Amino acid sequence: RYNTLRNSEGWIVLRHGNRNRVEGNIGLGSGIRYYDNDHVIVNNLVQNSHVIAGSGTIIDDTSGSTAHARPDRVLFAFNTIRGSGTLLEIGSGNTYGPDNCTWANNIFQGSGSGALVDVSKGSNLRWQGNIIWGGTGGDMPSSGYRSVNPGLITDSGGLYRLGSASSPAVDTAAGSYPQVTLDFDLFTRAGANDVGADEFTSGGTQRRPLTTADVGPNAP
């Protein structure tokens, strides 16, 4: 949680294991890829990269193997993904696509007019309250998103945030997700929630991406 990935070819990858929580991370050119079951992936900001919900050569790992197991019952919600090309890739490659997974109240903003979501395979997939801009919803059903400009701006640290209280993302999150009570900046999400990682506020301290001076044994 709350890591910064920059100048790295590495991603945040849930390769093996269940019930992980991935929250509040900043990926500058680094994305998120996940397999296995019951993860909660929320309040992350991915810029200039994308997200992969993997596929499995097995459904569930019951023997301690090293094989990829398909994602089941994963919640991917309240994230902001800003990049180019496909921003969400689901179920490509292996035999078994994700099952019973949810993508809710995320912002996917591209830089052109192509499809931002590519679903190769999967079953019982649920979509709710997402925003698509700078491209089309691709394989996401139209009931799962709105095509509106969320009004993202870059802050002093180069991070994409909601630019004003008039953004169509403000107070328009759909559904009930008690797993998410804070936003990317650790501000409380109260009342009607905003779509994406950032709950708009006109005050308070905003997070910035970490630098090498902020981490390690000599960090303040």
Side-chain angles (χ1 to χ4, degrees), residues 4-45:
T4 298
L5 284 74
R6 62 163 84 224
N7 302 323
S8 172
E9 294 185 6
W11 285 27
I12 295 174
V13 179
L14 305 182
R15 169 66 178 80
H16 214 62
N18 301 320
R19 295 179 294 279
N20 293 289
R21 188 176 181 99
V22 178
E23 181 172 13
N25 299 288
I26 300 169
L28 303 177
S30 296
I32 299 171
R33 177 163 55 99
Y34 56 93
Y35 303 86
D36 280 297
N37 304 333
D38 301 303
H39 307 306
V40 175
I41 304 173
V42 295
N43 290 332
N44 299 284
L45 174 61

Side-chain angles (χ1 to χ4, degrees), residues 88-204:
L88 176 60
E89 178 185 325
I90 298 174
S92 64
N94 295 318
T95 304
Y96 302 104
D99 182 61
N100 277 305
C101 292
T102 299
W103 292 267
N105 299 315
N106 304 287
I107 295 175
F108 297 98
Q109 181 165 329
S111 58
S113 58
L116 302 185
V117 178
D118 178 29
V119 180
S120 296
K121 65 179 74 70
S123 54
N124 304 305
L125 307 183
R126 292 184 289 273
W127 310 86
Q128 187 176 37
N130 299 287
I131 287 178
I132 296 285
W133 190 248
T136 71
D139 294 324
M140 186 187 299
S142 59
S143 59
Y145 70 93
R146 294 175 290 151
S147 292
V148 292
N149 185 350
L152 296 179
I153 62 171
T154 52
D155 65 14
S156 60
L159 303 182
Y160 281 95
R161 299 180 174 277
L162 299 179
S164 74
S166 62
S167 164
V170 171
D171 292 344
T172 59
S176 175
Y177 295 94
Q179 304 93 327
V180 186
T181 59
L182 303 175
D183 83 335
F184 172 80
D185 292 310
L186 300 177
F187 295 145
T188 298
R189 291 186 183 266
N193 294 330
D194 298 352
V195 178
D198 178 35
E199 188 82 4
F200 179 79
T201 178
S202 58

